[in-house]
Each structure stands twice: as structure tokens, then as C-alpha cells.
Amino acid sequence: MEKLIPGLEGVPIMESQVGFIDGQKGILEYRGIPIEVLAESSTYEEVAYLLLWGKLPNREEMAKFDHDLRTHRRVKYRIIDLMKCLPETGHPMDALQAAVAALGMFYPAKIDPAEIQPGTDVLARDKHYWSIIRLIAKLPTIVAAFERMRHGDEPVRPRDDLSHAANFLWMLTEQDPDPLDARILDVCLILHAEHTMNASTFSGLVVGSTLADPYTLVASAIGALTGPLHGGANEQALRMFREIGTVENVRPYIEAKLKAKARIMGVGHRVYKVKDPRAYVLQGLAEHLFRVKGEHPLYRVAQEVERVINEHVGAKGIASNVDFYSGVVYDQLGIPIDLFTPVFAIARVAGWLAHWVEQMKNNRLFRPDQIYTGQHNLPYVRMEQRT
Ligand code: CMC
């Protein structure tokens, strides 16, 4: 009998050179470069290039990629109009998913099966290159526009003279972003850009394997990222810190949750059995930001949660993940709580697309199997005879 592996835990579904995780040692690398090194020395734009092309760009390559991103930030007024019709009480992730799905209707992106052969490099095809540029460039504009419009304000036009992270802060506030805030957000985007075969990447690849276009792929990946077990956890973690409120409340709150077998958001991971390396970097960023701008009122609560979790379930390999400290950082940067997961998507789109580029070189339709546990050959009972 076939063996069922719930959640495909530990099952490789393809070969990849994009990212690497060692969950026992707490290692994360993008294209072989440790995440800590990229967080220290790189920018989100450079990391996106690295993920997509598999190498660091030279000066000319970087300049062209950066220029292409900067000049494709604007979104069509019809996309703005479409978002105006969405309820302002709706979640920004749902607005982002709807807008990205619609975006694909405006640009040539459909794939003819004949164009995808073994070894096809979609980056070398104009149509696909520009889809990739548009998706990375426009996601921040869509998120910021929805945020402005749900408060009754006009969207702020993107600026070509700012970096990806700084421009996003500009579009949210219409204020010149503080350089430290922009750099902190830039590092957050680097940390969230790729994470091997997570649920949203897998979801995107399932869609990609049917030769659906990259807009559809990204819309599906955004859908998977919304869930509280995946990207939605960053928002839930900050809500939990707010609910706890004080350091004194942490122990009884966490112990009651653990006793009730409830999930603590921002901790635990399918792959990491030690503290997520991105959580270390985020904690360092948080402390740097707080030294300059004053401590976030919930930082000590978060630290105490981490201590109590470690004491109770640390030995089981449950430790802080990337979503644990990202919330206090985003909150300190003035980013509204329900934009935390959209910020994750703004970053992760590079990873999703890098996996798609790799997939198109050697595509095979995903069509797994199931173990049928139902009945066979049952009679059709007429309505009058049904009880
Ligand atoms: N709080 C309390 N207990 C937990 C948690 C948690 N967050 N995570 C795992 N456990 C326990 C779980 O109850 C189980 O205990 P037992 O063996 O006694 O039944 C054991 O650990 C194994 O749990 P599992 O559900 O088999 O583990 P998993 O690999 O399915 O869990 C996870 C991965 C991320 C779904 C889970 O850790 C979780 O729900 N975490 C909270 C949500 C979260 O922070 N998600 C973000 C993940 S990182 C960013 C991203 O990828 O989006």
C-alpha cells in the first residue's frame, strides 16, 4: 500500500538551486550566500537579481535591473479603480491578490506550451522578463494605494529616485522616508525574499506547472501566504503581544495557551528546529531601531514570550521564527498591522518568480496521487426513498 505523507513533510518535490535551509543548524542561504551576509551588505533589488539569475549582478546589470524596476512602479488607473470598488474593511492581502490577478489581464503574459522546452530560460524572453519586472515593481504600489484609498486618500505616485524600500514608505505616508527606516525595511525585504519550498512557493509552482502565466502564479502564492500558519503569523504575533499587554501577564497567558494546546504565533517551524536565523537578524534590527528611536512598548513582552516558550517547548525544537520579531519592527516603522503580510508578499515575490524561472527550465505538471478511503459501487437511491 502507498504511504501517505501528510503535508508532504520532508518530501522533495523538485531540485532547486535558489535557496537552502539547514533546519537543525539554523542556516539559510540564497544561491549559496548566507542570509546574514546579504542582510549586512546587500539591498533588496540586488537580492532579487541574485535569486532570479543565480549570481550577483555586475555594475551594468544592476543598473539596468534597478532602472527597469524603478520605471515600472506605476499601476494603470483601472487597477486603482478596481481597488476603489473593494470594501475598505477587506484585508489588504485579499485586495493585493485581486489586483495582481487583474494585472495579468493588462499585459501579454499567456504561455503557449510550444514556447516551454527543456532548458527554456524565461528571463531571456522579453514577454516574461517584463512580467517579472512588473510584478516586483508594482506590488508595493498596489499595497500602498489600497492603504491610502481605504482611508479616503488619493494614492501617492511612486518616485523613481528612491530605492524599492524607501519608495514604499514614501507611497504609504507621502513623507520623505527616514534613511534608517528605509534601510531597516530594505533588510526586512531581504530576509523575506526566499525560503525554499514553503506553502506559497509550492502553491505558485503547482499553478506554474500548468503553464499558467506568472501573474496567476503570484496571485495564487499570495492566497497561500495569507493563512495564519504561513505569512499571516506576523500580524497574529503582534496581536498576541498586544493582548498580553505586560511582561507580568506573559507567563500565565503562554502557559494557559500551551495547556489548551493552542498555537503560539511566530514560533515553531516545519523545517527549523532551532531559532530561525532570520529571527536573530530581525531582533538585531529591532534593537538597533529601538536604540535610535526609543523602545517599542511590546518588545519586552516579546522577549518574555520567547523566554517562556523556550523554557516549556524549546526542547521539542519549537523556537521563534521570522514572524516573531518582524511585527514589532514594522509597528515601529509605522506600518499598519494588516499590512505586515502584504509586506511579506512584496518581498517574497522575488523568490516565487525565481522558482518559476527555474521550473520553466524543466517543467513537469504537478499531478500527485491520493489514497481513496471511500466506498465503491453504491446504488443510486431515488429521492423519495432517501431517509
Ligand atoms: N505553538 C504551540 N505548539 C506548537 C507550535 C506553536 N506555534 N508549533 C508547533 N507546536 C507543537 C504542536 O502542538 C505539536 O505538538 P505535539 O507533538 O505535542 O502534538 C508539535 O509542536 C509539532 O507540531 P506540528 O503541527 O506537527 O508542526 P508543523 O511542522 O506542522 O508546524 C507550523 C509548523 C509553522 C505550522 C507551526 O509551528 C505553527 O503553527 N506555528 C505558528 C504559526 C507561525 O508562526 N507560522 C509562521 C511560520 S514561519 C514563516 C512562514 O513560513 O510563513
Side-chain angles (χ1 to χ4, degrees), residues 228-231 233 258 261-270 316 318 321-323 344:
L229 296 189
H230 193 6
L258 290 176
K261 293 242 165 240
R263 297 264 147 164
I264 312 297
M265 291 296 139
V267 306
H269 200 275
R270 178 63 62 77
K316 278 171 69 180
I318 300 172
N321 62 47
V322 69
D323 293 325
F344 194 152

